[in-house]
Amino acid sequence: MPERFLNSLSLRFARMRSVKVKFFAAIAAVAVVFILVITSLNLFFYESYYMAQRQNSLTEIYEEVRTSYHAGDSEAFLDVLFRIENSDSVRLSIIDETGQMIYDSDTAQESQNIFGHNVFANWRMEQLVKSALSAADPQKLNAGEVDFVAVQMRDLRENFLCLVGKLGDDYLVERVPFTYMKQNSMFNMTFLAITGLVTLLICLALSAFLASHFTKPLIEMGEVAKAMTRLDFSKKYEGGRTDEIGQLGESLNLLSDHLEESIRELRTSNQKLAEEIKKKEQVDEMRREFIINVSHELKTPIALIQGYAEGLTAGVAESPEDRDFYCTTIAEEADRMNTMVSQLLSLSRLELGRESVQSEPVDLGECMRRAVDKTAVLRTGRDLTVTCTGSVTIESDAHQIDQIIMNYMTNAIRYTPDGGRIALSVQRTAQGGAKVIVFNEGEGVAEEELPRLWDKFYRTDKARSRASGGTGVGLSIVRASAALLGGTTGAENVPGGIQFWVELPACVHVPANLSET
């Protein structure tokens, strides 16, 4: 339970640290500060500002009344007074130089008797006006200026803001109740509070929308970047914006594509390098095995030659028959080493691509019969039956084909029991080429050993290796020669024995840069 709570708490803190939350908080903070500033300005400066505005308004009214008063048109003057009283909620009083009230807004509206002495019936208003007049600065008034005074009426339980100014020899008193101004201010503050709250709510909602709108592509790009760290380049930014954020997303997509391509190339290079290393290891292993096999193959004939030569030198062979035997053995072993070296040189030239290829019409049936004739001496005294069937002509290299068939033929003779059968045949393939098959009776080869028959120095019968006279290189030469001609080789067990085959194309490809060596 505590672990789950800690995980939940950690997740909440992680969300609080997200760009979306920070963006929302920033906009919301700006909105709150803005509303607080407006509210503070209203609380501390609105009353002074409102008072100054009312004073300016009263001054403008005074200027308008004074202008109309000096114009001398009583009807026009009356219209101005009524308009001001009805539109600006200001009450006006005019007092002559003796202190008598000659006009008051309240009395004029009640009695319709505008001008004349002693028409002011409301002694409280008269007292208010006179208090304002007595409180005004005479120097300002005589200088043609106006003066603002605040008058408190205890009977009315009201305070008034009054403007006092001169109209010629008369005096003008404008009055506005403070209660009206306070009500105005209260209504203003209430309305400001309501509008501020509504504005704050709207700003918060707008902040949430803007935070989601502007941070959504950033969050998507963050997910793409996280996927890239996992080497997953399938995710792409799909915002479709054309501004700087969209350009950043497209750049991230390009980066993802380049990284994917680079990593793919790197993987490919690593795979190639691994294959090359593996191939090199195989080549090194083959080289070591080759050296061991060559050393092993040459060790016996060298030892025999050395032994028989020492025997001749020491006079061990006293009779002519013994000397002939020693000399014959030395010659045979030397010939055997020469054959092996020649085959190895030929195989090396084939594997290195240094053998030339001549394209000419080759009768494969004739090649098979020629191989049978050349190997007749190897079959002497063994009572082997050899047959040749088929005749197919292709464009290829006669020398390489003769070498392939001769190796197959000598290999068949070597492993066919006395009195056994060898069959050579050729047939046209579906692709227009030819397939030469050499069958020999015998025990066959274990299936798992068939692929290794083409390895250098590999023999299935280690005990009979020297007795058979083979070097273990013949089939390797066959495969290399077939590859040079663009063909393939194979071996398979069949009823009664084993057969080797080579499949050749109808026309050999001669490289343009291949020269005869």
Side-chain angles (χ1 to χ4, degrees):
M1 191 67 178
E3 184 178 356
R4 183 181 300 176
F5 173 75
L6 290 176
N7 291 337
S8 175
L9 190 62
S10 176
L11 181 60
R12 290 182 181 178
F13 277 118
R15 289 177 178 173
M16 290 177 65
R17 292 194 298 269
S18 69
V19 176
K20 183 176 180 180
V21 173
K22 291 180 180 178
F23 194 86
F24 169 78
I27 298 178
V30 171
V32 171
V33 170
F34 178 74
I35 293 173
L36 288 176
V37 169
I38 293 178
T39 304
S40 299
L41 291 175
N42 275 273
L43 285 174
F44 295 105
F45 301 102
Y46 176 77
E47 187 173 346
S48 300
Y49 173 78
Y50 182 76
M51 184 65 70
Q53 290 297 317
R54 291 303 293 171
Q55 290 178 355
N56 290 336
S57 177
L58 293 175
T59 303
E60 291 174 358
I61 292 173
Y62 165 74
E63 295 294 338
E64 185 177 1
V65 171
R66 186 174 67 172
T67 301
S68 180
Y69 176 83
H70 288 296
D73 187 346
S74 60
E75 291 186 1
F77 183 60
L78 178 64
D79 291 339
V80 169
L81 295 178
F82 279 158
R83 179 175 55 78
I84 291 173
E85 293 164 354
N86 292 327
S87 62
D88 294 324
S89 301
V90 177
R91 292 294 175 258
L92 306 175
S93 297
I94 300 176
I95 305 170
D96 63 13
E97 58 184 358
T98 64
Q100 295 295 319
M101 190 76 63
I102 60 176
Y103 173 82
D104 184 74
S105 298
D106 294 334
T107 305
Q109 291 179 3
E110 292 175 2
S111 64
Q112 299 297 320
N113 185 10
I114 308 304
F115 292 99
H117 294 283
N118 298 319
V119 296
F120 189 59
N122 193 332
W123 66 269
R124 289 187 178 87
M125 288 299 106
E126 184 178 1
Q127 184 181 4
L128 168 63
V129 172
K130 289 181 178 181
S131 297
L133 187 60
S134 62
D137 187 354
Q139 292 182 355
K140 287 185 177 180
L141 299 180
N142 293 329
E145 299 179 1
V146 297
D147 193 16
F148 293 94
V149 295
V151 179
Q152 182 178 8
M153 297 298 294
R154 295 181 180 179
D155 294 338
L156 298 177
R157 296 181 181 178
E158 181 65 85
N159 295 332
F160 290 86
L161 173 65
C162 298
L163 177 146
V164 181
K166 295 195 70 174
L167 295 176
D169 294 331
D170 299 328
Y171 294 92
L172 173 66
V173 178
E174 301 174 13
R175 62 183 184 273
V176 178
F178 276 106
T179 302
Y180 172 77
M181 291 189 293
K182 289 182 177 179
Q183 286 178 347
N184 243 3
S185 178
M186 184 63 65
F187 291 151
N188 235 6
M189 293 300 296
T190 303
F191 180 74
L192 177 65
I194 295 173
T195 54
L197 180 61
V198 173
T199 303
L200 179 60
L201 294 176
I202 293 174
C203 287
L204 292 178
L206 186 61
S207 300
F209 171 76
L210 292 176
S212 176
H213 177 72
F214 284 105
T215 59
K216 182 178 179 181
L218 298 178
I219 294 173
E220 291 179 1
M221 285 186 274
E223 294 297 326
V224 173
K226 286 182 181 178
M228 290 169 60
T229 60
R230 300 191 299 269
L231 300 182
D232 178 11
F233 302 101
S234 60
K235 287 189 176 182
K236 301 293 181 183
Y237 170 72
E238 300 176 352
R241 299 170 64 111
T242 57
D243 54 8
E244 290 81 356
I245 294 178
Q247 294 173 3
L248 178 61
E250 292 300 322
S251 300
L252 189 63
N253 288 343
L254 290 175
L255 176 62
S256 176
D257 293 338
H258 291 329
L259 282 176
E260 182 178 14
E261 183 178 357
S262 300
I263 291 177
R264 182 167 54 248
E265 291 177 355
L266 183 60
R267 286 175 175 171
T268 303
S269 300
N270 288 340
Q271 290 176 355
K272 289 182 179 179
L273 181 60
E275 290 177 3
E276 291 176 0
I277 292 174
K278 184 177 181 180
K279 188 180 294 184
K280 183 178 181 302
E281 291 176 349
Q282 291 176 347
V283 170
D284 291 341
E285 181 63 26
M286 290 172 61
R287 184 181 293 112
R288 287 193 294 270
E289 186 177 350
F290 175 78
I291 293 172
I292 293 172
N293 289 331
V294 170
S295 301
H296 177 74
E297 292 295 330
L298 293 178
K299 180 180 179 181
T300 301
I302 290 175
L304 290 174
I305 291 173
Q306 181 181 4
Y308 283 108
E310 290 176 353
L312 288 174
T313 303
V316 175
E318 297 178 354
S319 64
E321 291 81 5
D322 289 339
R323 285 194 296 272
D324 289 341
F325 175 75
Y326 276 42
C327 290
T328 301
T329 301
I330 291 173
E332 288 177 352
E333 295 300 327
D335 182 65
R336 175 180 171 81
M337 286 192 298
N338 182 61
T339 300
M340 181 186 300
V341 171
S342 298
Q343 288 182 334
L344 289 175
L345 288 174
S346 177
L347 179 60
S348 298
R349 291 170 62 85
L350 287 169
E351 290 179 340
L352 294 174
R354 295 179 181 175
E355 282 287 353
S356 61
V357 177
Q358 300 293 332
S359 180
E360 58 183 336
V362 179
D363 185 347
L364 297 179
E366 181 62 28
C367 289
M368 293 189 302
R369 287 187 288 275
R370 191 162 51 243
V372 171
D373 293 339
K374 287 182 179 180
T375 58
V377 66
L378 301 178
R379 304 192 304 272
T380 302
R382 297 190 56 192
D383 195 22
L384 300 178
T385 302
V386 180
T387 60
C388 289
T389 57
S391 180
V392 176
T393 300
I394 60 173
E395 292 288 332
S396 192
D397 189 302
H399 172 70
Q400 297 296 337
I401 292 177
D402 282 342
Q403 187 168 240
I404 292 172
I405 297 176
M406 280 293 295
N407 276 289
Y408 273 166
M409 188 63 189
T410 54
N411 187 73
I413 293 171
R414 189 174 301 118
Y415 292 103
T416 302
D418 294 344
R421 180 173 64 89
I422 299 174
L424 290 79
S425 62
V426 61
Q427 60 190 25
R428 181 74 67 177
T429 62
Q431 292 76 24
K435 185 175 183 178
V436 177
I437 302 174
V438 178
F439 164 83
N440 68 274
E441 288 184 343
E443 298 179 356
V445 178
E447 292 294 330
E448 63 273 11
E449 291 189 357
L450 286 175
R452 298 200 60 190
L453 293 177
W454 315 98
D455 295 345
K456 292 184 285 291
F457 300 112
Y458 181 79
R459 294 190 183 90
T460 58
D461 189 356
K462 305 293 189 298
R464 296 176 55 194
S465 60
R466 290 196 55 78
S468 62
T471 62
V473 184
L475 291 181
S476 299
I477 294 176
V478 168
R479 172 155 288 187
S481 297
L484 180 66
L485 300 177
T488 57
T489 59
E492 55 190 346
N493 291 311
V494 294
I498 185 172
Q499 68 180 20
F500 292 82
W501 54 264
V502 58
E503 190 169 327
L504 300 169
C507 182
V508 69
H509 172 68
V510 181
N513 60 347
L514 188 63
S515 60
E516 291 191 25
T517 57

